[in-house]
């Protein structure tokens, strides 16, 4: 490694070690969670799955975390975990089934999504980034590289460039949907008061159920201004958990 | 209007010629036609009629009837007066007067005065071994002539462990501000082994359940227990004593029914009322009431063959021994959505919707009937949830003939068209028998909503029904665990919200931009080769000059001369253009100005070229003495050539 030097080599090795350690912790916690869940110790299982998800977020881990939270009768935690599983892998069918089950049982609504947000749920959030980036790169390459390499611009070059540009434009709403959807959260506490102003003693507009979806509009101090399907107001920051964390 | 014009008009009206001068006002001209007289007469009649009407109106106001007296005040005036002038007498007695040790009796003091006017003492002086505790106090009014005669009673529960005769001496109480003496009374307590003395009439309170939950309606039955077991009189002014519960007086009812007593069925009077515990923990509940003889206050359900005869009214305040209710809090675990506080057993019929087809914006009525074994007077229906496709309104009760049932109608307004289902209305109740919450969610009902006046497509409606049934049959369940975590991510925060997203999109553009710029430069140089030649010549010139300096530094005169000649050739080559090795001294001199060419500079150039030619092509030894001394002049030549490069 003459180019990087000894300091760079050491840094890369340390980073690799840290990543490897996190992976090991995640896998170990996942296995421990499964074991605890199967013997009916749902508190331990939830803790283990939470540790695993913190070290190594994965759709399967969040699915199991949701199951454990549901067994602990923590509906908000379960719904949040399953939503996160779908956030990482929209094709996680079990998470969809569990969310339908939970919302049917707890009589909760699913988040209201705009059309571009619905489109963003077709693929994982990061996939849309790569689609946009690769299509844009492809468009640029088809426009620039033939000339640089003294090649003749043929029709397929232009076709691929047009296709890439089209894909890039079509992926923009989905990327925007990911951004707006990332401000979706869920109420964590039962009968959370929705207040008129961002103060602890403010007049209460209504009470929100645990697991009810809400959209974060803005933040002021320790309070969040949120909008639900039927009301809007302020809640304390610890009473709303965003789907992608904060 | 100008004055002249007025005069002109008035003159024309009276048939006179107009004058140009100002005239004095003339006398008014009276109408002379009969039609005008009629009109004038009519106007006068109108004025007189209006005046009369006004006078009548004023008279009407003046003669408006006197305000009606207040009905409540009239009712109070009509009520017979309460007798507070009669001589106040107090009567004290033990009921029964003889008990066995360990049993209890009632020490009852009756005073013919208003209860609030009696300053009843907090403690009564009693024998040391006589246990006494205040249990009930009440007030009753009886008709005596045209007055109401008050009777206040103060009951105490007394008992003694040891046999003997216990007397409560007479004491004075203040009634209407005057002192009234309560006479002495004596209780005889027999040994436990003595035959039982005659029992007295007492009240018994029987709760329907003693282990209950907060808010659970508890039916309480109060019966009169007579020594013979048969009914001889009813109760009035029944009251349930205690703290921490609510008495639902609207549920009170009294009845006479057959009850087994000592092997035979006897007619028994009972009074039932519903209590609702409000606090948790043990609650002491007791009952009190005045014996009403053959008078039963309120409706009475008689469930016996013969009508009760009863006895003449003998108002005596009876009270019961207390019973304890153990009130548990409602469990927070397992609480289901839509719980409105109903505790008991409840069922509901499937919702009935008024129509299966509706238009957007038209309200749709959905009726749900709830049934219960217990009382539904305090039943609170579930509120309709707020959903996107529907505008919902609070449910309203609708009358029903079915006993122990309530009907509620939900008004729902569809906001979108298509095949819709009414919102599922979460509802649950608490079953005290199973100590769990029970889900009684009102299911969704499908209907077809159109936004036009056209006939609803029957096929769509059938499809809606089919879908609805299949959806109802497919109940979701909790999935099993995932066996592997699956593809992992570094973070949940999407890349789109980070600055690296823009960087990632823009980085190829930078690369392609740089490539494009390089390509443009390359093409430009291809079209201008002289730039490339000069650039290459500059590089070669610097290289040769550096080598020349190095040769001079080490004293290599021939090397110095060769490098100097090479440098001059390289510097001159782009001007011709030509291969540097093909240039000779005259080519270099051509580039110098006339003065330099003929002066010292020209001489240096010629000398160096001559020396290098001699060293390459001559057979004699080249004289290199003094070549290094040309260094200063040579540098001047090279600087000049470099400036032209």
């Amino acid at each position: 490694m003459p180019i990087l030097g000894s300091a760079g080599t050491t840094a890369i090795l340390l980073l690799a070690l840290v990543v490897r350690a996190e992976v090991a912790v995640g896998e170990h916690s996942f296995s421990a969670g499964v074991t605890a869940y199967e013997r009916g110790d749902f508190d331990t299982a939830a803790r283990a799955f939470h540790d695993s998800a913190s070290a190594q977020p994965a759709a399967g881990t969040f699915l199991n975390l949701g199951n454990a939270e549901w067994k602990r009768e923590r509906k908000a935690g379960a719904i949040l975990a399953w939503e996160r599983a779908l956030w990482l892998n929209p094709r996680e069918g079990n998470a969809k089934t569990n969310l339908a089950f939970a919302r049917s049982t707890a009589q909760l609504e699913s988040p209201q999504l705009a059309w571009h947000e619905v489109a963003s749920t077709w693929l994982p959030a990061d996939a849309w980034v790569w689609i946009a980036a690769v299509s844009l790169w492809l468009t640029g390459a088809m426009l620039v590289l033939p000339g640089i390499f003294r090649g003749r611009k043929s029709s397929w070059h232009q076709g691929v460039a047009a296709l890439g540009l089209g894909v890039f434009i079509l992926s923009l709403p989905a990327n925007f949907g990911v951004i707006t959807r990332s401000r979706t959260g869920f109420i964590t506490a039962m009968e959370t008061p929705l207040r008129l102003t961002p103060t602890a003693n403010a007049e209460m507009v209504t009470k929100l159920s645990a697991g009810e979806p809400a959209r974060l509009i803005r933040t002021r101090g320790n309070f969040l201004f949120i909008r639900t399907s039927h009301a809007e107001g302020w809640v304390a920051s610890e009473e709303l958990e965003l789907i992608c964390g904060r | 209007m100008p004055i002249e014009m007025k005069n002109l008009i008035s003159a024309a009206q009276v048939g006179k010629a107009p004058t140009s001068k100002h005239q004095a006002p003339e006398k008014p001209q009276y109408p002379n036609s009969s039609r005008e007289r009629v009109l004038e007469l009519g106007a006068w009649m109108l004025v007189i009629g209006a005046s009369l009407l006004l006078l009548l109106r004023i008279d009407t106001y003046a003669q408006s009837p006197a305000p009606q007296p207040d009905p409540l005040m009239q009712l109070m005036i009509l009520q017979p007066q309460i007798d507070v002038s009669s001589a106040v007498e107090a009567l004290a007695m033990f009921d029964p007067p003889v008990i066995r040790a360990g049993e209890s009796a009632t020490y009852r003091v009756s005073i013919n005065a208003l209860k609030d006017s009696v300053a009843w003492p907090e403690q009564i002086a009693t024998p040391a071994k006589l246990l006494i505790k205040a249990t009930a106090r009440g007030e009753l009014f009886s008709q005596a002539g045209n007055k109401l005669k008050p009777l206040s009673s103060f009951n105490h529960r007394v008992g003694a462990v040891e046999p003997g005769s216990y007397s409560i001496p007479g004491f004075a109480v203040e009634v209407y501000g005057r002192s009234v003496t309560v006479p002495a009374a004596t209780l005889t307590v027999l040994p436990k082994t003595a035959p039982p003395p005659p029992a007295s009439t007492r009240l018994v309170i029987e709760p329907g359940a003693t282990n209950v939950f907060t808010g659970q309606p508890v039916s309480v039955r109060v019966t009169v227990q007579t020594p013979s077991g048969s009914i001889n009189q009813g109760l009035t002014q029944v009251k349930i004593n205690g703290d921490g519960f609510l008495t639902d007086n609207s549920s009170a009812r009294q009845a006479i029914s057959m009850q087994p007593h000592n092997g035979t069925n006897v007619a028994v009077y009972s009074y039932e009322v519903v209590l609702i515990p409000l606090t948790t923990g043990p609650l002491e509940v007791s009952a009190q009431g005045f014996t009403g003889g053959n008078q039963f206050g309120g409706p009475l359900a008689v469930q016996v063959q013969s009508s009760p005869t009863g006895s003449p009214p003998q108002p005596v305040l009876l009270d019961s021994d207390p019973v304890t209710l153990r009130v548990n809090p409602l469990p927070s675990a397992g609480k289901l959505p839509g719980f409105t506080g109903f505790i008991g057993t409840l069922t509901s019929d499937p919702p009935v919707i008024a129509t299966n087809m509706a238009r957007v914006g038209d309200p749709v009525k959905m009726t749900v009937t709830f049934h219960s074994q217990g009382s539904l007077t305090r039943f609170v229906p579930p509120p309709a949830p707020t959903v996107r496709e529907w505008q919902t309104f609070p449910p309203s009760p609708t009358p029903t003939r079915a006993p122990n049932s309530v009907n509620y109608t939900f008004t729902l307004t569809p906001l979108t068209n298509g095949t819709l289902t009414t919102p599922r209305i979460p509802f649950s109740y608490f079953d005290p028998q199973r100590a769990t919450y029970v889900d009684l969610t009102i299911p969704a009902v499908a209907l077809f909503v159109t936004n036009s006046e056209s006939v609803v497509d029957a096929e769509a409606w059938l499809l809606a029904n089919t879908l609805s049934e299949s959806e109802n049959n497919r109940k979701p369940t909790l999935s099993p665990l995932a066996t592997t975590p699956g593809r992992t991510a570094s973070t949940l925060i999407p890349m789109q919200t980070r600055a690296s997203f823009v960087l990632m999109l823009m980085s190829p553009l930078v690369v392609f931009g740089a490539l494009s710029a390089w390509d443009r430069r390359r093409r430009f140089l291809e079209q201008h080769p002289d730039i490339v030649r000069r650039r290459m010549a500059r590089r070669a010139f610097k290289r040769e000059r550096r080598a020349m300096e190095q040769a001079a530094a080490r004293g290599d005169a021939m090397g110095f001369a060769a490098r100097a000649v090479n440098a001059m050739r390289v510097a001159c080559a782009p001007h011709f253009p030509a291969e540097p090795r093909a240039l000779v001294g005259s080519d270099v001199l051509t580039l110098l100005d006339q003065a330099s060419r003929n002066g010292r500079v020209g001489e240096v150039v010629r000398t160096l070229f001559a020396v290098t030619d001699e060293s390459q092509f001559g057979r004699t030894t080249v004289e290199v003495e003094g070549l290094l001394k040309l260094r200063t002049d040579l540098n001047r030549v090279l600087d000049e050539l470099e400036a032209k490069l």
Side-chain angles (χ1 to χ4, degrees):
Chain A
M1 296 274 182
I3 299 170
L4 293 173
S6 60
T9 309
T10 310
I12 287 176
L13 284 174
L14 278 174
L15 187 65
L17 279 174
V18 168
V19 170
R20 183 60 213 156
E22 282 198 350
V23 169
V25 166
E27 288 173 353
H28 174 73
S29 299
F30 184 85
S31 304
V34 171
T35 308
Y37 188 94
E38 285 171 349
R39 70 166 184 269
D41 187 359
F42 301 117
D43 290 343
T44 308
R47 214 163 31 246
F49 287 132
H50 186 269
D51 291 344
S52 176
S54 301
Q56 200 180 8
T61 312
F62 279 118
L63 172 72
N64 292 358
L65 174 61
N67 284 22
E69 292 283 17
W70 184 263
K71 292 285 186 183
R72 296 169 72 201
E73 297 187 348
R74 296 193 176 184
K75 292 170 188 150
I79 287 173
L80 179 66
W82 289 325
E83 284 283 356
R84 284 178 170 171
L86 280 181
W87 176 262
L88 290 175
N89 181 12
R91 301 193 182 279
E92 178 58 67
N94 284 336
K96 283 183 188 172
T97 309
N98 290 350
L99 277 172
F101 167 72
R103 290 191 169 123
S104 165
T105 307
Q107 291 297 307
L108 292 169
E109 283 189 319
S110 53
Q112 295 180 11
L113 301 180
W115 65 270
H116 57 279
E117 292 174 332
V118 172
S120 75
T121 62
W122 295 342
L123 292 173
D126 287 350
W128 288 111
V129 176
W130 286 109
I131 287 174
V134 169
S135 58
L136 188 64
W137 299 346
L138 191 66
T139 304
M142 288 299 108
L143 292 175
V144 174
L145 292 184
I148 291 173
F149 293 118
R150 302 292 170 91
R152 186 166 164 243
K153 270 189 187 174
S154 55
S155 56
W156 72 267
H157 288 144
Q158 297 179 16
V160 171
L163 182 69
L165 189 64
V167 171
F168 173 72
I169 291 171
L170 287 176
S171 71
L172 287 181
N175 279 296
F176 181 64
V178 170
I179 294 170
T180 55
R181 203 154 56 92
S182 68
R183 300 182 74 80
T184 303
F186 297 89
I187 300 297
T188 55
M190 288 177 67
E191 297 192 342
T192 297
L194 185 69
R195 301 188 183 282
L196 200 60
T197 54
T199 50
N201 299 322
E203 185 182 342
M204 190 173 68
V205 178
T206 183
K207 281 186 176 177
L208 302 175
S209 306
E212 193 168 332
R215 198 62 71 99
L216 174 63
I217 307 299
R218 62 178 182 271
T219 305
R220 180 177 293 178
N222 196 34
F223 284 86
L224 311 174
F225 186 76
I226 62 168
R227 181 179 296 143
T228 68
S229 61
H230 57 279
E232 59 182 26
W234 296 88
V235 294
S237 59
E238 64 271 12
E239 290 168 341
L240 182 84
E241 192 73 31
L242 289 181
I243 193 170
C244 59
R246 266 180 290 167
Chain B
M1 187 181 288
I3 295 171
E4 288 78 8
M5 183 62 74
K6 276 186 182 174
N7 293 335
L8 186 66
I9 292 169
S10 68
Q13 283 173 346
V14 296
K16 288 183 178 179
T19 59
S20 59
K21 292 184 179 176
H22 289 188
Q23 294 179 354
E26 296 179 0
K27 291 181 180 176
Q29 300 297 314
Y30 294 103
N32 48 10
S33 69
S34 60
R35 184 170 173 272
E36 286 172 343
R37 281 181 183 166
V38 168
L39 285 174
E40 189 181 11
L41 183 63
W44 276 111
M45 286 181 72
L46 273 174
V47 171
I48 292 168
S51 303
L52 282 173
L53 276 174
L54 189 63
L55 284 173
L56 282 172
R57 186 78 180 158
I58 293 167
D59 188 52
T60 305
Y61 277 115
Q63 292 183 359
S64 59
Q68 293 290 327
D70 185 4
L72 183 62
M73 185 63 72
Q74 275 195 324
L75 188 66
M76 289 173 67
I77 292 168
L78 288 174
Q79 288 295 317
Q81 288 185 347
I82 296 172
D83 182 12
V84 293
S85 56
S86 300
V88 178
E89 293 178 355
L91 178 66
M93 61 177 293
F94 283 98
D95 183 17
V98 180
I99 59 172
R100 287 187 294 183
E103 293 178 347
S104 64
T106 300
Y107 173 65
R108 182 181 301 116
V109 176
S110 300
I111 302 172
N112 59 338
L114 292 170
K115 187 178 71 175
D116 291 340
S117 66
V118 180
W120 189 252
E122 290 294 325
Q123 288 190 341
I124 300 173
T126 58
K129 294 182 179 176
L130 184 69
L131 304 174
I132 186 166
K133 180 187 175 187
T135 52
R137 58 177 64 183
E139 182 181 52
L140 188 72
F141 295 92
S142 57
Q143 193 78 34
N146 58 351
K147 288 189 175 180
L148 287 175
K149 187 179 173 186
L151 176 69
S152 299
S153 289
F154 301 86
N155 283 11
H156 292 75
R157 185 77 68 228
V158 294
V161 180
E162 295 180 5
S165 180
Y166 298 90
S167 290
I168 295 180
F171 59 94
V173 294
E174 194 173 321
V175 182
Y176 299 137
R178 296 189 296 269
S179 179
V180 174
T181 302
V182 176
T186 302
L187 174 69
T188 304
V189 179
L190 302 175
K192 284 184 179 176
T193 53
S200 62
T201 302
R202 302 186 70 170
L203 287 189
V204 175
I205 183 168
E206 298 168 307
T210 53
N211 195 14
V212 297
F213 291 90
T214 313
Q216 177 185 349
V218 182
S219 178
V220 172
R221 187 164 177 263
V222 180
T223 55
V224 181
Q225 196 176 57
T226 60
S228 65
S230 65
I231 177 176
N232 60 355
Q233 52 190 335
L235 287 176
T236 58
Q237 301 210 12
V238 181
K239 188 180 166 191
I240 308 297
N241 295 325
D243 293 326
F245 59 85
L246 181 73
T247 305
D248 184 4
N249 287 319
S250 64
S251 65
R253 57 183 180 176
Q254 50 186 348
I256 295 176
S257 58
M258 300 301 289
Q259 298 286 332
H261 180 77
N262 293 336
T264 59
N265 283 339
V266 295
V268 174
Y269 168 87
S270 63
Y271 175 92
E272 283 190 21
V273 72
V274 170
L275 303 184
I276 299 170
L278 300 177
T279 59
T280 57
L283 295 184
E284 280 205 343
V285 180
S286 63
Q288 69 172 52
F290 280 96
T291 55
N294 55 5
Q295 294 180 355
F296 302 92
L300 176 71
V302 180
Q303 299 165 357
V304 296
Q305 294 293 333
S306 58
S307 59
T309 53
S311 56
Q314 294 174 349
V316 175
L317 180 64
L318 302 178
D319 62 271
S320 70
D321 288 329
V323 293
T324 302
L325 300 181
R326 297 194 176 279
V327 184
N328 305 302
L330 285 175
S332 57
K335 190 175 181 181
L336 296 174
F339 179 64
T340 60
F342 185 84
I343 302 173
T345 53
L346 195 67
T347 57
S348 67
D349 293 341
V352 178
I353 197 162
T355 177
N356 291 330
M357 304 169 202
R359 281 183 304 167
V360 175
D362 282 356
V364 176
K365 301 276 187 185
M366 186 176 73
T367 306
V368 186
T369 306
F370 298 94
H371 308 278
S372 174
Q373 298 295 326
S375 171
L376 283 167
T377 52
R378 294 184 178 275
F379 175 79
V380 178
T386 305
V387 291
R388 252 169 288 172
E389 293 88 359
W390 294 89
Q391 184 183 13
T392 56
F393 298 93
S396 55
T398 48
T400 176
R401 291 181 180 177
N404 291 334
S405 300
V406 285
N407 267 357
Y408 277 92
T409 299
F410 293 82
T411 304
L412 312 165
T413 304
L415 301 177
T416 58
N417 62 331
T419 303
L420 297 183
T421 55
T422 58
R424 296 173 75 244
I425 302 173
F427 181 53
S428 62
Y429 69 93
F430 184 77
D431 186 348
Q433 302 294 329
R434 293 185 285 168
T436 56
Y437 293 91
V438 180
D439 184 31
L440 203 65
T441 297
I442 300 168
V445 181
L447 78 162
F448 190 82
V449 179
T450 178
N451 57 358
S452 67
E453 299 286 344
S454 63
V455 179
V456 173
D457 189 351
E459 287 184 5
W461 164 240
L462 288 174
L463 179 64
N465 267 340
T466 310
L467 285 174
S468 167
E469 286 171 9
S470 62
E471 281 175 2
N472 284 336
N473 292 335
R474 195 174 62 243
K475 290 182 178 176
T477 53
L478 198 65
S479 75
L481 287 185
T483 51
T484 57
R487 198 173 67 87
T488 58
S490 59
T491 175
L492 284 171
I493 298 171
M495 200 183 286
Q496 287 90 336
T497 59
R498 287 178 274 172
S500 56
F501 175 56
V502 179
L503 199 65
M504 191 174 179
L505 288 180
M506 292 299 116
S507 57
L509 293 184
V510 173
V511 173
F512 292 138
L515 277 174
S516 182
W518 171 78
D519 186 50
R520 274 204 310 277
R521 179 67 181 167
R522 186 179 62 173
R523 288 173 192 277
F524 174 77
L525 292 177
E526 283 173 358
Q527 291 174 355
H528 300 85
D530 56 312
I531 297 174
V532 181
R533 279 197 299 271
R534 286 174 188 275
R535 187 193 297 161
M536 292 172 68
R538 274 196 293 272
R539 286 181 193 153
F541 174 78
K542 285 179 181 173
R543 188 167 57 245
E544 294 296 335
R545 193 169 181 179
R546 199 160 45 243
M548 182 194 79
E549 295 291 342
Q550 289 169 354
R554 65 174 177 266
D556 179 9
M558 270 317 296
F560 168 75
R563 292 296 182 181
V565 167
N566 284 345
M568 285 186 286
R569 282 172 171 162
V570 165
C572 294
H575 296 287
F576 289 99
E579 173 65 26
R581 285 176 299 177
L583 297 181
V584 295
S586 60
D587 297 328
V588 176
L589 291 171
T590 311
L591 292 179
L592 300 176
D593 53 14
Q594 185 66 33
S596 300
R597 199 161 43 224
N598 297 330
R600 175 68 183 163
V601 172
E603 188 182 342
V604 169
V605 172
R606 280 190 283 271
T607 304
L608 287 172
F609 270 90
V611 169
T612 50
D613 290 343
E614 185 66 27
S615 67
Q616 283 182 338
F617 309 113
R619 295 181 180 178
T620 58
T621 305
V622 177
E623 181 62 43
V624 295
E625 189 74 23
L627 280 180
L628 293 176
K629 292 177 182 173
L630 300 176
R631 189 174 169 186
T632 307
D633 296 325
L634 180 63
N635 279 335
R636 203 161 52 242
V637 173
L638 292 177
D639 288 341
E640 191 175 344
L641 289 175
E642 188 180 12
K644 291 182 177 177
L645 194 60

